[in-house]
Amino acid sequence: MTAVIEAAGLGKRYGQNWALSECSLAIPSGKVVGLVGPNGAGKTTFLHLAVGLLQPTSGSMRVLGARPGASPAQLARIGFVAQDAPVYAGMSVRDHLRLGAWMNPTWDTELAADRVAGLGLDPNQKAGRLSGGQRAQLALTLAVAKRPELLVLDEPIASLDPLARREFLQDLMQVVVEQAATVIFSSHLVSDLERVCDYLIVLVGSRVRVAGDIEDLVATHYRLTGPRRDRGRLPGDQQVIVEDHTDRQSTFVVRTSAQVLDPSWTVERMGLEDLVLAYMARAAADARRPKLAEAR
Amino acid sequence: MISFHLDVRSGVAPYQQIVHQVRQALRLGLLEAGDQLPTVREVVGTLAINPNTVLKAYKELENLGLVAARPGIGTFVLRTLADESLAAHGPLRLELRRWLERARSAGLDDESIEALFRDVVRSFQAEGVA
């Protein structure tokens, strides 16, 4: 499978602060990728690097086989909707489509018109008077009508109400079927991703904590609960993500491709949300550790 | 044509829920040989789920020999799971409804009714095995 986005040691620094660091991953094509992490984790930085709006401070990135923003031809293959689905408030829906056709060599006029009709948008309506959901769908239309191979959406549904959110995702999944595009979208809500994504990237504190096929991730993570035990006494193939101990009991979240056979553990499979939370907790624990070392 | 629904909180994988709902429809005679399943586009358009989830479910139904994909057209039912017993469904359903009414008027709530039903099914199965 070819990688749509490849990053090697990718980093972006603003002054003293690394917004993204040591990011290495390869995203296969044809996936719906969820980029999840708390606010300020570096999601937007990653997406802006991918579409060529930012240049990396370190490392390298290839998107659809080329450096992001390398050429107009490369830009034409990527559709991007920035956070909050920006549209020109004073311009009508029709004028947005006209602008899209004017600026994109691969623009599909018929597709754009069909989508606007299908979504029930009035072409004469000023974009500033559209509802949040309609605005998001107009922005998606502009990105989709250029028939991109890769669709990059930054928090597309964060500001939408539940119904508009559902409608947006229904529409987005139809686009995936029709255009066989790879989609990457960011969100700070795991529940948004559960239904629609098949690939997950967890980004916390400027670092990628885990990335992979959701089916594989869910199949290889377990929560183990049992009598108190040190992590050193777990089998070598069980990678500990987080651990929690009381005086008698230990709880581990482990990643392993083997089955957990030890009868002293209660073994539970984990949902996607718990899995993401485990990696976030681990990131928080990692962030505390260096400070403790300094205090000593 | 049938439509699917999804219970995300059930803990059952979404593709399995779709497989189950098709089998259920085949068993109840809602789907018959030659009927078309909803297209992948239609399913993702209503459920807002990943297209691969639907493809995986349809693949499994194909492997079970229940449906066949005709490329570019759609997925069609090959055989149903309903048998001669389907004719008996009507009267049994009616009896079950009467029984439910009696259970209700005796003061059982839905949970107690389900628990009782499951318990009887379990002990009935155990006797059958013995």
Side-chain angles (χ1 to χ4, degrees):
Chain A
M1 211 177 285
T2 50
V4 170
I5 298 179
E6 275 179 287
L10 184 70
K12 177 69 191 176
R13 194 183 62 209
Y14 294 107
Q16 293 296 307
N17 295 320
W18 287 89
L20 190 71
S21 50
E22 291 165 49
C23 168
S24 296
L25 42 78
I27 300 172
S29 73
K31 297 283 177 190
V32 179
V33 182
L35 176 62
V36 66
N39 293 324
K43 300 190 295 292
T44 297
T45 300
F46 179 82
L47 297 180
H48 282 194
L49 285 165
V51 298
L53 281 172
L54 287 174
Q55 294 300 315
T57 312
S58 65
S60 65
M61 192 180 210
R62 292 183 81 73
V63 175
L64 299 171
R67 191 172 54 77
S71 64
Q74 206 249 359
L75 285 177
R77 297 164 69 194
I78 302 171
F80 175 58
V81 179
Q83 205 159 355
D84 300 326
V87 290
Y88 296 99
M91 268 168 56
S92 70
V93 170
R94 181 180 285 118
D95 286 343
H96 275 85
L97 299 192
R98 215 173 275 160
L99 183 67
W102 177 257
M103 293 176 72
N104 292 285
T106 55
W107 187 261
D108 187 332
T109 306
E110 199 179 332
L111 175 76
D114 283 354
R115 278 187 54 89
V116 164
L119 294 164
L121 299 179
D122 172 5
N124 299 315
Q125 180 86 273
K126 290 262 196 294
R129 303 188 69 97
L130 297 173
S131 72
Q134 290 173 325
R135 213 163 51 231
Q137 285 182 317
L138 174 60
L140 181 63
T141 298
L142 294 173
V144 161
K146 64 192 275 193
R147 293 205 163 266
E149 290 163 57
L150 172 66
L151 200 50
V152 178
L153 311 170
D154 193 0
E155 296 269 7
I157 49 179
S159 58
L160 304 183
D161 65 66
L163 179 64
R165 202 174 274 205
R166 174 59 61 88
E167 284 170 352
F168 184 89
L169 292 177
Q170 287 169 336
D171 182 38
L172 180 62
M173 289 304 106
Q174 288 184 321
V175 168
V176 171
V177 173
E178 283 159 11
Q179 304 205 8
T182 303
V183 178
I184 176 165
F185 77 90
S186 62
S187 176
H188 57 271
L189 294 171
V190 184
S191 52
D192 289 344
L193 308 175
E194 221 160 0
R195 297 167 80 105
V196 297
C197 294
D198 49 12
Y199 196 94
L200 180 77
I201 302 170
V202 178
L203 192 63
V204 188
S206 84
R207 280 164 201 271
V208 173
R209 305 293 163 162
V210 68
D213 248 41
I214 289 180
E215 230 171 80
D216 294 343
L217 292 175
V218 170
T220 54
H221 285 78
Y222 302 90
R223 181 183 284 110
L224 312 180
T225 316
R228 188 178 166 118
R229 194 190 294 191
D230 263 10
R231 68 186 293 167
R233 290 179 53 222
L234 291 177
D237 67 307
Q238 293 180 3
Q239 182 201 345
V240 175
I241 310 304
V242 277
E243 55 191 309
D244 184 44
H245 305 276
T246 68
D247 52 344
R248 325 197 147 170
Q249 194 187 43
S250 289
T251 306
F252 290 98
V253 171
V254 299
R255 181 177 190 175
T256 175
S257 46
Q259 266 185 304
V260 181
L261 299 168
D262 189 331
S264 57
W265 294 122
T266 304
V267 182
E268 287 170 292
R269 288 211 173 273
M270 300 174 66
L272 196 61
E273 183 143 26
D274 284 352
L275 202 152
V276 170
L277 286 173
Y279 278 96
M280 288 187 181
R282 176 197 173 98
D286 285 352
R288 277 195 299 273
R289 211 163 289 137
K291 282 182 197 141
L292 287 176
E294 280 163 29
R296 252 182 255 135
Chain B
M1 188 73 83
I2 59 167
S3 63
F4 301 116
H5 52 91
L6 207 62
D7 182 359
V8 183
R9 299 272 153 249
S10 71
V12 179
Y15 90 92
Q16 281 169 338
Q17 294 189 38
I18 292 175
V19 169
H20 177 77
Q21 284 167 35
V22 171
R23 290 182 63 99
Q24 196 79 347
L26 291 171
R27 200 167 285 124
L28 294 174
L30 292 172
L31 279 176
E32 290 172 358
D35 282 352
Q36 187 177 1
L37 295 184
T39 63
V40 174
R41 190 183 179 282
E42 285 166 345
V43 178
V44 304
T46 45
L47 294 184
I49 58 171
N50 191 291
N52 291 326
T53 306
V54 189
L55 289 170
K56 191 173 172 185
Y58 283 11
K59 195 86 216 155
E60 173 141 342
L61 289 163
E62 216 176 327
N63 291 340
L64 291 167
L66 296 174
V67 305
R70 288 186 217 155
I73 308 173
T75 304
F76 294 84
V77 174
L78 287 180
R79 63 185 177 87
T80 113
L81 289 170
D83 46 29
E84 326 58 276
S85 75
L86 192 61
H89 280 205
L92 284 168
R93 179 183 285 266
L94 201 65
E95 274 179 64
L96 194 56
R97 283 193 67 95
R98 292 212 187 98
W99 181 85
L100 281 174
E101 279 160 21
R102 288 216 304 284
R104 266 284 162 68
S105 57
L108 278 76
D109 59 10
D110 285 350
E111 212 178 326
S112 322
I113 289 173
E114 267 186 50
L116 182 60
F117 183 78
R118 274 172 213 274
D119 192 48
V120 172
V121 167
R122 244 194 307 273
S123 60
F124 186 77
Q125 282 168 341
E127 282 164 31
V129 170

